[in-house]
Amino acid sequence: MNKSIDSEKQSLPAKVVSLSIEGLFDEFNYSIESQPSLDGHENLMILYGNNGCGKTTILNLLVHVLSPEPYAGHRTAIGNAPFKKFAVFLSDGHCIEASRDSDKLTGEYTLTITRDGSTLVEYVWEREKKRPETEDEEEPAYIDYCKLLKNIGVTVHFLSDSRKVQSFKKERRRLVSRMSEVKSLYSVEFGGVRVDGDEEQTWVRDAMKNAVQSVRSLALAGTSRGYDSANSIYKDIIGRIVAAESHESEGQLAIKTKLHDRLQELGERNEEFASLGLTPSLDTHDFIDLINSANGDLLPTVDAVLNPYLDGVTARLDALQDAQQVISSFAELMTGFYHGKIVSFDIAEGITVNTTSNKELQPEDLSSGEQQLLLLMCNAITARKNCSVFAIDEPELSLNVKWQRKLIDALLKMLDGTNCQLLLATHSLEILSLYVDQVAELAMEQASDAEPA
């Protein structure tokens, strides 16, 4: 295997800084660039254009071109998309490009990955090419291409305008606007669960399950990081007991006050986590009562024994902080959107929606707009765990004007603390007017009038 390919692993996924497409539908050329932000929206990129200008096709091409899975239909889908050249430029200097030298809009094309102008790998895709029976028989260039894409690590979670997550494992044909003779390949899968029908409630339920599973994984990782081994804890305790005399100079009242304050602070903090099912309840009142009743001469020893335990609780809460923040933000944001409903997120029970009179509601009990919002926010949780780009086609679907104004900030808050980039295609004037600096307009410049590349 090419040594340069093996050494390309990134510490953090790069961001999409620009997109370039030529000859889309044999009519349009676009150069789309992300804009710097002074308002904390540097991870936001918005595509805007009239119906038929190719926004959805561009988002689909982005998914396919950046997907490293070798046999999931991505390269076939690129072959069926009508364009001459499509390139994705990343913040780390990589460029991933699909291009055609012939006059044909579909079929054979060349995939190229470059970095800072130097070609790293090149592969020619042909529709009629015989598919190898084993990976060992695959062309080395194709294996290198997929491996380098995986190492670069830019993965896309795409929520289409049908609100189905696309994984492209099963083909579905759909006519492309302006080119009725050209067909694109699509497939739908929701978080690994096949959706056979078009029941919106099924998609919402699956999105909720995937969001809960993502947070559970995050919590599990945090819990494992937050525990010390029993040996190290008891070793620390013995060491503190042996050195207890050194604490006597602090004074009995100082030790008692310090322990009292720390126990009270940890008890209050732990309660926030316990209410979400992340930790057991921690009743610190008994500890405080014992400390208050302890003989003054014993306080240094109590201090030496108790602090390792409190250090362990603190470490565990610190490790679970990300999961706690995601759950709390989700519940707070969703409840703020909904009227007369309270959204709860418990690590064990999952996501629940209740009326103010405490009647539990099912997804089918919610309005279309409420379901759409729940779908979007749950997908944001899933995207923050697995992907570096969360792409949404028309996020404003079924949402009222007031919700449209609040939506993007809510999604960005759900992605906060990650390197995940939010990339949207929208017609919403409410969204566009609030984030003007992050909008890339797809002006309908005809390809025939454009200057040659």
Side-chain angles (χ1 to χ4, degrees):
M1 187 64 67
N2 190 320
K3 187 175 180 180
S4 65
I5 300 295
D6 292 331
S7 64
E8 284 291 331
K9 183 67 177 178
Q10 305 296 305
S11 57
L12 281 176
K15 297 178 183 178
V16 175
V17 295
S18 64
L19 304 169
S20 174
I21 188 163
E22 299 176 16
L24 180 62
F25 306 128
D26 202 24
E27 294 188 54
F28 309 119
N29 296 332
Y30 300 122
S31 180
I32 305 164
E33 296 186 7
S34 62
Q35 302 298 323
S37 173
L38 300 177
D39 302 320
H41 298 138
E42 59 276 358
N43 281 343
L44 175 63
M45 188 175 181
I46 301 175
L47 307 185
Y48 166 71
N50 294 329
N51 289 325
C53 70
K55 298 187 299 299
T56 297
T57 302
I58 290 172
L59 290 181
N60 276 285
L61 277 172
L62 178 71
V63 176
H64 293 307
V65 167
L66 292 178
S67 296
E69 293 84 0
Y71 304 116
H74 298 294
R75 264 49 72 181
T76 300
I78 296 171
N80 284 277
F83 69 95
K84 293 292 184 62
K85 182 185 291 186
F86 179 74
V88 183
F89 298 88
L90 305 178
S91 58
D92 64 356
H94 282 106
C95 174
I96 299 94
E97 179 181 286
S99 60
R100 294 186 171 98
D101 295 327
S102 68
D103 293 333
K104 294 183 179 180
L105 284 180
T106 60
E108 180 179 327
Y109 62 91
T110 300
L111 287 168
T112 308
I113 301 180
T114 61
R115 185 170 189 177
D116 300 327
S118 299
T119 300
L120 301 178
V121 64
E122 183 175 277
Y123 169 73
V124 177
W125 182 89
E126 301 175 63
R127 190 186 305 279
E128 292 79 14
K129 186 180 296 184
K130 184 179 179 181
R131 187 170 178 175
E133 295 182 2
T134 66
E135 187 172 328
D136 293 337
E137 299 174 2
E138 184 60 81
E139 289 187 47
Y142 185 56
I143 296 298
D144 282 353
Y145 173 82
C146 294
K147 182 171 183 177
L148 181 52
L149 269 184
K150 184 176 181 179
N151 288 345
I152 292 171
V154 181
T155 53
V156 185
H157 183 91
F158 181 31
L159 193 58
S160 70
D161 57 1
S162 67
R163 290 301 177 259
K164 299 176 182 179
V165 175
Q166 299 187 358
S167 68
F168 308 96
K169 293 181 181 178
K170 180 179 179 181
E171 297 182 356
R172 176 170 63 89
R173 297 191 175 271
R174 163 178 162 184
L175 294 179
V176 175
S177 174
R178 303 174 177 273
M179 298 284 293
S180 60
E181 73 277 14
V182 178
K183 294 185 177 181
S184 293
L185 298 181
Y186 295 88
S187 77
V188 295
E189 183 175 291
F190 221 107
V193 180
R194 177 61 56 192
V195 178
D196 295 319
D198 288 336
E199 295 183 2
E200 192 172 24
Q201 292 82 12
T202 300
W203 308 338
V204 175
R205 287 181 182 276
D206 287 339
M208 292 166 68
K209 291 177 183 177
N210 292 330
V212 172
Q213 186 57 47
S214 296
V215 175
R216 285 174 180 166
S217 298
L218 184 62
L220 182 61
T223 300
S224 63
R225 290 197 304 269
Y227 280 105
D228 284 329
S229 70
N231 287 341
S232 64
I233 290 176
Y234 279 99
K235 181 179 178 180
D236 191 14
I237 290 174
I238 293 171
R240 289 172 184 254
I241 292 174
V242 170
E245 291 184 2
S246 65
H247 295 284
E248 291 180 353
S249 60
E250 296 183 30
Q252 298 173 4
L253 181 59
I255 293 175
K256 184 178 294 187
T257 301
K258 182 182 68 174
L259 288 174
H260 181 282
D261 291 346
R262 190 176 186 193
L263 281 164
Q264 187 171 16
E265 179 185 351
L266 271 179
E268 293 173 356
R269 186 185 178 197
N270 189 85
E271 189 56 34
E272 297 176 6
F273 290 73
S275 66
L276 304 173
L278 289 168
T279 64
S281 294
L282 175 64
D283 188 353
T284 59
H285 295 93
D286 289 342
F287 283 103
I288 293 173
D289 290 341
L290 287 169
I291 291 169
N292 289 336
S293 63
N295 183 293
D297 294 336
L298 296 176
L299 282 174
T301 304
V302 171
D303 181 61
V305 172
L306 188 55
N307 270 297
Y309 167 71
L310 299 182
D311 290 343
V313 174
T314 300
R316 186 164 67 253
L317 296 183
D318 288 345
L320 290 169
Q321 189 65 56
D322 286 346
Q324 187 267 342
Q325 186 62 48
V326 171
I327 295 175
S328 297
S329 295
F330 178 87
E332 180 182 346
L333 289 167
M334 291 298 301
T335 300
F337 273 102
Y338 286 177
H339 176 70
K341 299 178 181 69
I342 299 172
V343 179
S344 302
F345 195 144
D346 183 275
I347 197 70
E349 301 298 327
I351 299 169
T352 55
V353 182
N354 292 78
T355 65
T356 52
S357 59
N358 205 33
K359 177 185 177 183
E360 185 172 348
L361 302 175
Q362 301 303 316
E364 54 268 26
D365 298 324
L366 303 176
S367 70
S368 176
E370 289 172 329
Q371 291 182 38
Q372 290 285 350
L373 183 65
L374 185 56
L375 192 65
L376 288 167
M377 297 292 280
C378 285
N379 272 271
I381 293 177
T382 303
R384 68 172 282 128
K385 176 180 181 291
N386 297 319
C387 298
S388 54
V389 177
F390 181 22
I392 312 175
D393 196 0
E394 300 188 37
E396 69 273 14
L397 290 178
S398 298
L399 304 186
N400 62 53
V401 171
K402 182 179 178 181
W403 283 10
Q404 290 179 37
R405 293 174 186 155
K406 298 165 56 179
L407 176 64
I408 305 307
D409 274 352
L411 290 172
L412 288 172
K413 187 168 184 178
M414 291 310 306
L415 299 175
D416 190 36
T418 73
N419 200 48
C420 191
Q421 185 177 17
L422 184 59
L423 201 160
L424 313 172
T426 183
H427 295 286
S428 169
L429 294 179
E430 299 298 329
I431 292 175
L432 295 168
S433 63
L434 289 172
Y435 307 95
V436 175
D437 292 341
Q438 275 61 57
V439 175
E441 183 175 2
L442 305 185
M444 288 194 175
E445 175 189 5
Q446 291 190 355
S448 57
D449 295 336
E451 296 181 1

